[in-house]
Amino acid sequence: MALPWLLSLRKVDIFCSPMSGRLYSVLRSHSSAGVRSCDALVYRTRGHPREVLSMENVVLPHVHETDVRIKMLAAPINPADINMIEGTYALLPTLPAVGGNEGMGEVIEVGRNVLDLKPGDWVIPVDAGFGTWRTEAVCKASEVMLVSKDIPLLSAATIGVNPCTAYRLLMDFETLMSGDTVIQNGANSAVGQAVIQIAASMGLKTINVIRDRPNVKDLMETLHSIGADWVLTEETLNNSKMADLFRGVPKPKLALNCVGGHSAGNLLKHIECGGTMVTYGAMARKPMQLPAKHLIFDDIKIRGFWMTRWKKENKKDLRKFNTMVSLLSEMVRKGKLTAPICTPVPLHDYKVALEDLTSTNGRKYMLIMD
């Protein structure tokens, strides 16, 4: 004979903790009042997103004293999101988990002890692993930070990772003055586009390297339109045109590498003596091939950067992060920083974006929740 308390249990549901992206199993009664749920892109095993992601309805936890409930509005699909699902990223949430590290939501409910946020505020996650690919979330108020509502939605949804990465790359490794030169590969990436615009606002010149492709002239024009000074293909780095360029332009003090492989070595050849190359990505998924003579005779410094680590190191005092986001938001307001070129896709049409992930068009997708 069943125990009386078991008779009221009708269903096993799951709820999601935004802090870790983890989904927890809970028992609830059909008669439970006030239970809320959301739609979320969940993965229970690691692998290719097309194979492991599925849309699920998950129960939201109650909003306690220090919690907020958020209606997610938009979230990009970044390379790190894919690497995390595949299991190749340095930070892996406990499974099952909700996809997405970056995005923006609107506060719709706050706990009674939350004083710094109110319904209607726009917020972004503080840490990676939040699980942004869903319609709603409940989390601690300390896990999100305020972002200005007077900037475009797509800019707000993408301001916390790629523009911040670009800002730190330009600020933390070399003392750059107006007129100095920066060289970067993967210049059409979201970080690359932000580097171009932030550097232009600082009076810096940028040499931007992209992979050759059928629409390369159109892409060059697009990058020039947002402030790029020079846009070159990988092949150009190895011919005499570079010598001609540097007759009138100072060699770069700083090189930014997100590709790796031969591309990293091609950048290294053109750095000023004593300069720095910072690696923040490895899109080619190949080891960097760096010419030893330039390391030896030009004393080039090789550094690495990971925005997630920077956030963790500055988590106890968020003023530095807040200040950076505020500065970037002001650039957006002044028209000096735009959202990366992206294709909006409704959350429930996520398979459209996933089918295109392995294509070579370099398109970036933004999941729209409403």
Side-chain angles (χ1 to χ4, degrees):
M1 181 176 177
L3 295 174
W5 64 271
L6 281 174
L7 296 177
S8 65
L9 298 177
R10 296 292 184 267
K11 189 176 181 180
V12 177
D13 285 322
I14 53 178
F15 72 85
C16 181
S17 166
M19 183 170 61
S20 65
R22 181 178 177 181
L23 298 171
Y24 295 86
S25 295
V26 296
L27 291 170
R28 73 172 175 87
S29 167
H30 278 308
S31 62
S32 297
V35 172
R36 296 182 182 275
S37 64
C38 71
D39 290 338
L41 286 177
V42 177
Y43 58 106
R44 298 176 174 278
T45 59
R46 307 196 195 281
H48 195 286
R50 286 199 308 261
E51 299 170 357
V52 300
L53 274 177
S54 63
M55 187 69 70
E56 297 187 18
N57 187 260
V58 300
V59 173
L60 292 166
H62 292 292
V63 178
H64 296 291
E65 288 84 353
T66 58
D67 294 341
V68 293
R69 181 161 65 94
I70 301 163
K71 177 184 178 183
M72 294 302 301
L73 299 179
I77 299 178
N78 291 324
D81 303 326
I82 304 306
N83 296 154
M84 190 174 285
I85 295 168
E86 292 173 333
T88 60
Y89 199 61
L91 173 67
L92 298 177
T94 304
L95 298 179
V98 176
N101 292 290
E102 184 183 23
M104 188 273 291
E106 180 179 349
V107 176
I108 52 180
E109 185 180 354
V110 300
R112 62 184 180 184
N113 291 340
V114 176
L115 303 177
D116 297 332
L117 296 172
K118 64 183 184 302
D121 284 344
W122 280 6
V123 292
I124 60 174
V126 171
D127 288 329
F130 188 90
T132 55
W133 297 351
R134 52 179 159 181
T135 54
E136 288 193 20
V138 173
C139 65
K140 295 294 183 185
S142 59
E143 293 171 28
V144 294
M145 62 177 287
L146 193 67
V147 67
S148 178
K149 291 185 69 173
D150 61 357
I151 62 176
L153 183 145
L154 296 187
S155 292
T158 56
I159 204 165
V161 176
N162 294 315
C164 289
T165 297
Y167 185 86
R168 298 259 61 94
L169 290 171
L170 292 169
M171 294 294 178
D172 292 354
F173 296 93
E174 286 285 345
T175 302
L176 300 172
M177 307 295 290
S178 180
D180 286 342
T181 308
V182 175
I183 190 170
Q184 65 168 338
N185 57 22
N188 58 308
S189 68
V191 172
Q193 293 176 53
V195 164
I196 290 169
Q197 295 174 85
I198 297 170
S201 74
M202 298 168 60
L204 306 175
K205 303 295 183 182
T206 56
I207 301 172
N208 303 279
V209 184
I210 58 175
R211 176 180 50 81
D212 199 4
R213 63 195 71 203
N215 66 335
V216 68
K217 289 185 178 180
D218 293 338
L219 179 55
M220 286 180 171
E221 290 178 5
T222 298
L223 297 181
H224 281 304
S225 72
I226 63 172
D229 295 288
W230 296 274
V231 185
L232 317 170
T233 63
E234 291 278 358
E235 290 74 18
T236 305
L237 285 180
N238 290 316
N239 63 35
S240 59
K241 291 182 180 179
M242 296 305 295
D244 295 337
L245 173 63
F246 289 126
R247 286 192 181 98
V249 178
K251 280 199 164 188
K253 290 183 177 180
L254 180 66
L256 307 176
N257 167 49
C258 69
V259 178
H262 288 289
S263 181
N266 290 337
L267 287 187
L268 192 74
K269 297 174 185 177
H270 302 294
I271 303 175
E272 181 182 75
C273 184
T276 302
M277 183 170 77
V278 185
T279 293
Y280 66 96
M283 294 192 302
R285 299 192 177 189
K286 294 180 180 179
M288 292 192 297
Q289 300 184 25
L290 307 180
K293 68 177 183 178
H294 292 286
L295 290 171
I296 296 169
F297 301 124
D298 295 335
D299 191 24
I300 304 299
K301 300 181 286 291
I302 306 297
R303 300 287 304 275
F305 179 76
W306 186 28
M307 191 67 213
T308 298
R309 177 180 288 114
W310 185 93
K311 287 181 178 180
K312 287 185 177 181
E313 290 172 350
N314 291 275
K315 190 174 181 179
K316 289 185 178 179
D317 184 355
L318 289 178
R319 284 178 295 182
K320 197 171 183 179
F321 189 17
N322 271 296
T323 299
M324 176 170 58
V325 171
S326 295
L327 288 170
L328 294 170
S329 297
E330 182 63 19
M331 286 186 63
V332 173
R333 277 190 289 274
K334 292 180 177 179
K336 295 182 178 181
L337 179 63
T338 59
I341 303 163
C342 61
T343 301
V345 175
L347 177 66
H348 286 80
D349 292 337
Y350 70 96
K351 291 182 180 179
V352 173
L354 297 184
E355 286 297 325
D356 206 29
L357 283 174
T358 56
S359 73
T360 58
N361 61 24
R363 186 176 298 165
K364 185 179 184 69
Y365 285 92
M366 178 75 67
L367 298 174
I368 305 298
M369 310 312 174
D370 195 359

